[in-house]
Amino acid sequence: MATAGLQEKWLGLSSNDYGQLLGKVNLVFHCAAQVSSALPYAALRPANVVGTCKMTALALRAGAELVHVSTLGFVDGGLPETAEVSPNSLYTRSGYAQSK
């Protein structure tokens, strides 16, 4: 198991350690996020959007399965885990909802 710095180059690892990780990992769990209903999208984007892209890239480069844990708490009334949410209404919601 390894922890990652989502906003850092190579996820906070040295390039050598990152390369070694690629050869060893077969499953990536990503559940890290910055959660705030007060912050704007720009403040949440580095961790929630860019960080998710970095973890997805890690899984792709390693040929590993990615398990991404997130929330649907921004959807009025809640929805089943498999629901598709239209991005059209997210811009009128919080920065956190926009970072989804």
Side-chain angles (χ1 to χ4, degrees):
M1 182 165 69
T3 59
L6 294 179
Q7 299 179 48
E8 300 176 42
K9 184 177 180 178
W10 306 115
L11 300 173
L13 304 172
S14 70
S15 61
N16 186 52
D17 287 345
Y18 185 86
Q20 288 182 8
L21 184 63
L22 291 177
K24 295 179 181 179
V25 68
N26 60 14
L27 180 61
V28 175
F29 281 92
H30 174 48
C31 56
Q34 184 174 359
V35 180
S36 172
S37 60
L39 292 175
Y41 172 78
L44 299 169
R45 184 180 184 278
N48 297 357
V49 178
V50 176
T52 298
C53 289
K54 288 181 179 183
M55 295 304 286
T56 301
L58 170 69
L60 285 171
R61 290 179 181 139
E65 182 179 350
L66 173 67
V67 177
H68 181 225
V69 180
S70 191
T71 63
L72 285 176
F74 64 90
V75 178
D76 292 334
L79 289 171
E81 293 278 331
T82 58
E84 290 193 26
V85 177
S86 170
N88 296 333
S89 67
L90 294 181
Y91 294 103
T92 62
R93 298 179 183 268
S94 69
Y96 180 69
Q98 292 173 35
S99 76
K100 303 312 285 175

